Amino acid sequence: MTLPTRDDLIDFVYHEARVIDEGRFDEWLELWGSDSYYWMPLDYQQDNPKNMTSLMYEDAFLRKLRVERLNGLRTFSQKPKSRCSHVLNRPSIEAFDPKAGQFITRTAVHYVETRLDDQFLLAATVHHHFEMVEDELKIKLKRVDLLNCDAAFGNIQLFI
Amino acid sequence: MTMKYKDNPQAVADLVRPAEVHRDLYIDDEVFALEMKHLFASTWVYVGHESQVPNAGDYFATDVAAQPILLARHTDGEVYVLHNRCPHKGTKIVIDRTGNTGKFFRCPYHAWSFRTNGKLLAIPLKKGYKDTGFEQSEAGQSGLPPVGAVKNYRGFIFVRMNQEGISFEEFFGGSLSSLDNMVDRSPVGKLEVAGPPLRYMHNCNWKMLVDNQTDTCHPMVAHESSAGTAVEIWESIEKDENTKTPMAMEVIAPFMSPYEFFEDMGIRTWPNGHGHTGVHHSIHSDYSAIPGYLEMMVEAYGEERAKAILGENRHNTVYFPNIMIKGPIQQLRVFIPLAANKTLVESYIFRLVDAPDMLLERTAMYNRLINAPTSIVGHDDLEMYERAQEGLHSQELEWVNVQRLYDADEDLDEEAVENGTTERQMRNQFHAWKKFVVASMEAEARDLTDA
Ligand code: FES
Ligand SMILES: [Fe+2]
């Protein structure tokens, strides 16, 4: 079995952000493993995605739904479309355990989203949990902790 | 700026016609100030749930009628609702939304302290007030003043800011059956708030959200982008007899139901602005059974009653003025007015005590899929509200129409069940709006004349 290098993990995180910023969402969907989740907790240091509300907890079906909706003819909240930009700190490797198949990075992110005359900035800490699927690195869990998770937000329409 | 509506109850009354309402209800700052003072202070407004303050000293802070309020559990076990305002110089006593203050509140500015029922406890260096007439001053007498009246209804805490006014029972009447049904769904008749609420800022008037709760002609249009796409994706996936419909599909797909589905579901209205969709069935009717739940309910209530409780599938119940509950999924949304064009929406979910965890899991999923600032269904709705808020600034058209299935003989002071696409419940809300605002303005005018 091919193993990832530490640089592979780091490069992946940068690549994923770029794919989102460039609106290549179909490609983004391919970056995920089989039983994978995109999780954005609502509570600070939330430890369970199921027994309370999260901002997002999305499996492959829900991620695909989002991406397809972005392109829909009658998706009025995306007429005109939103755009986003990620600024990433260099990801740190939090776990690198080939035996257990555990590969985790932590990345500090500043995220800007804009539509019409509005633009907002969010700061987040992002943990990527990876797995190897047929010799390819895939996301198993992406956990996005917003710095101000308890604040009231307007629409957040793209992916952090 | 000249005042158009203040001290002019007739001008305010003229804003609401039987089947249309004036745009100033949504965009005018003066009308907003009047409705805070006259509607939100004279009706029963939801504040919070007792499970948010389980122990003595626990508090929860929020806004009612654009005023800072706190809810506190006193040592006698009662929940007190107090103005969150120091009688000394006005400092808010607590600013975090929840916490425990111990035996008393202590103002962080000059350390005046108050019992958790609001009574003034101590003032440092009190001798400085000796012989000053301090005892007769507002500050010397008030402590943290309680709101006009408080009602804890099966754990849900409502307040009337005014001392005098309509009673809780008269105000809500038969509409309390929706809250009852939500609580009865716990085998022990108890709910607990699960986690923090979603907090979603809307650049629109609060009434747009309330109107939308019984707007059954928008889901298949405004939500085509999300629910319609979900149905398309699901249909394109290859399935066999073992394929289980995912919980997310059960939640989101019914939004695409055709007009007939919504017509047949029915709408019930009660006097004073309350009403609900989903009299006969609703978008919550076809959720799959949660293993073990029915058995627990039968054990607790007996078969007939358990089936009657679970057979109710009320969709959205509006408690006028500004909350909506969904009994079948234990959700409560508060539409907190901040300005004529700004509303904070907080969406809470509840755990049914002693019921299977899977129910809470579905409820949490519903909340994040439909009502989060990150929710695609939420995006669909907010886009419409904000477009309307901007569109209403056109000077050419003055009225917002709520005429669908209107009948000139309609009596909104009577409970009624009608076709599920009627806008009767919206008319009911405006009727109540006018009734309470105008009555309170007239009472104020009388008080002024008497004085
Ligand atoms: S303002 Fe509260 S003690 Fe002075
Ligand atoms: Fe909607």
Side-chain angles (χ1 to χ4, degrees), chain B residues 3-244:
Chain B
M3 293 288 183
K4 196 165 158 196
Y5 298 116
K6 193 173 170 296
D7 305 328
N8 192 349
Q10 189 56 51
V12 173
D14 290 344
L15 295 173
V16 178
R17 295 175 178 170
E20 55 186 4
V21 295
H22 195 270
R23 66 193 184 109
D24 279 359
L25 254 75
Y26 297 90
I27 62 171
D28 189 87
D29 294 336
E30 200 192 337
V31 171
F32 181 81
L34 287 172
E35 62 187 3
M36 288 306 102
K37 182 168 175 195
H38 294 289
L39 176 68
F40 278 77
S42 69
T43 52
W44 287 86
V45 179
Y46 178 72
V47 187
H49 190 264
E50 65 174 9
S51 65
Q52 291 170 284
V53 288
N55 304 308
D58 285 349
Y59 62 83
F60 168 71
T62 184
D63 276 12
V64 173
Q67 302 175 54
I69 290 298
L70 69 84
L71 196 144
R73 179 81 69 165
H74 190 51
T75 41
D76 63 3
E78 287 298 301
V79 174
Y80 286 78
V81 184
L82 310 167
H83 286 266
N84 184 9
R85 188 271 198 211
C86 183
H88 183 206
K89 299 211 191 295
T91 310
K92 277 166 94 168
I93 298 297
V94 297
I95 57 159
D96 43 355
R97 284 190 280 275
T98 58
N100 184 291
T101 191
K103 288 215 172 348
F104 56 89
F105 289 110
R106 180 177 181 275
C107 179
Y109 203 173
H110 313 94
W112 290 22
S113 57
F114 311 90
R115 294 183 206 282
T116 42
N117 61 1
K119 296 270 178 293
L120 181 64
L121 184 62
I123 295 178
L125 205 65
K126 189 150 187 210
K127 62 183 184 205
Y129 292 111
K130 201 161 166 276
D131 302 328
T132 65
F134 176 72
E135 283 75 15
Q136 281 74 54
S137 73
E138 183 182 80
Q141 294 182 343
S142 56
L144 303 177
V147 297
V150 180
K151 174 75 183 183
N152 180 343
Y153 186 79
R154 304 194 70 181
F156 294 87
I157 295 164
F158 291 82
V159 299
R160 193 187 61 222
M161 298 297 275
N162 290 347
Q163 300 284 344
E164 308 283 329
I166 190 167
S167 72
F168 179 86
E169 289 71 18
E170 190 191 343
F171 183 63
F172 286 120
S175 72
L176 292 170
S177 53
S178 286
L179 272 174
D180 286 337
N181 182 255
M182 182 151 94
V183 180
D184 290 344
R185 283 167 181 264
S186 150
V188 292
K190 216 172 155 196
L191 300 181
E192 278 174 10
V193 167
L198 286 164
R199 304 180 71 240
Y200 195 172
M201 196 62 83
H202 283 53
N203 291 320
C204 69
N205 189 271
W206 65 277
K207 292 186 286 308
M208 287 193 186
L209 282 135
V210 185
D211 298 350
N212 176 265
Q213 302 313 307
T214 58
D215 183 327
T216 49
C217 287
H218 89 283
M220 65 300 280
V221 182
H223 299 305
E224 184 185 338
S225 87
S226 38
T229 308
V231 172
E232 264 170 39
I233 296 175
W234 181 241
E235 279 171 357
S236 75
I237 293 173
E238 263 183 61
K239 295 178 268 307
D240 57 33
E241 62 277 14
N242 297 323
T243 316
K244 253 187 76 204

Side-chain angles (χ1 to χ4, degrees), chain A residues 91-146:
Chain A
S92 62
I93 311 282
E94 301 293 303
F96 194 90
D97 184 348
K99 240 201 261 138
Q102 256 219 340
F103 309 100
I104 303 173
T105 59
R106 174 191 185 279
T107 314
V109 176
H110 282 189
Y111 171 83
V112 177
E113 190 178 301
T114 184
R115 180 172 176 255
L116 293 164
D117 291 331
D118 292 324
Q119 177 168 296
F120 62 89
L121 169 71
L122 294 170
T125 303
V126 180
H127 283 88
H128 284 81
H129 297 234
F130 294 102
E131 61 179 349
M132 292 302 283
V133 180
E134 291 165 6
D135 288 349
E136 266 195 277
L137 204 51
K138 299 280 182 188
I139 307 169
K140 200 166 145 177
L141 171 69
K142 178 176 176 182
R143 174 180 171 137
V144 177
D145 285 277
L146 295 181

